[in-house]
Amino acid sequence: MISLAHAQTAGAAADPTGGLMQMLPMILMFVVLWFLMIRPQMKKAKEHKALLEALAKGDEIVTQGGLVGKIVKVGESYVTVEIAEGTEVVVQKPAVGLVLPKGTLKSL
């Protein structure tokens, strides 16, 4: 009976690919997750950071909250946006969603 138990454990340890084959589905899932979710999100974050660094006075923007206006003043972490004549709002830079082409506000 004991010799049977030793024979079973020796057979399992002799399989060199057993551990790798068990980890292969987990590795494949991580690779798919990387290319479908993580990598595109990192690319989008990099583009948004470049957009925020390029903000300048006079740019027409849309905030993530939906406000449309023209940048009047650019600070370190805040921008002042004129949303109507004489109405200015201070907005955090990360809240800027996109920069509109020049002259878009006149067509609205």
Side-chain angles (χ1 to χ4, degrees):
M1 186 84 122
I2 293 177
S3 62
L4 225 71
H6 286 293
Q8 287 179 346
T9 57
D15 185 19
T17 61
L20 179 65
M21 294 305 276
Q22 290 177 354
M23 291 297 292
L24 190 61
M26 195 74 118
I27 293 169
L28 287 174
M29 285 186 346
F30 180 75
V31 169
V32 168
L33 180 75
W34 175 263
F35 280 105
L36 292 179
M37 293 181 71
I38 298 172
R39 191 168 174 248
Q41 189 169 357
M42 287 173 44
K43 183 179 177 183
K44 189 173 181 178
K46 187 177 180 181
E47 291 172 355
H48 189 254
K49 183 179 178 184
L51 176 127
L52 295 180
E53 290 173 355
L55 288 177
K57 182 179 177 182
D59 286 345
E60 297 175 357
I61 62 165
V62 177
T63 65
Q64 291 178 354
L67 290 176
V68 179
K70 183 183 279 190
I71 294 179
V72 178
K73 183 174 131 185
V74 179
E76 178 98 11
S77 57
Y78 294 95
V79 292
T80 304
V81 181
E82 183 178 39
I83 56 174
E85 196 169 317
T87 306
E88 295 180 354
V89 178
V90 179
V91 178
Q92 289 182 330
K93 275 188 175 182
V96 175
L98 66 117
V99 177
L100 298 172
K102 298 279 184 188
T104 304
L105 290 178
K106 291 180 183 177
S107 64
L108 294 177

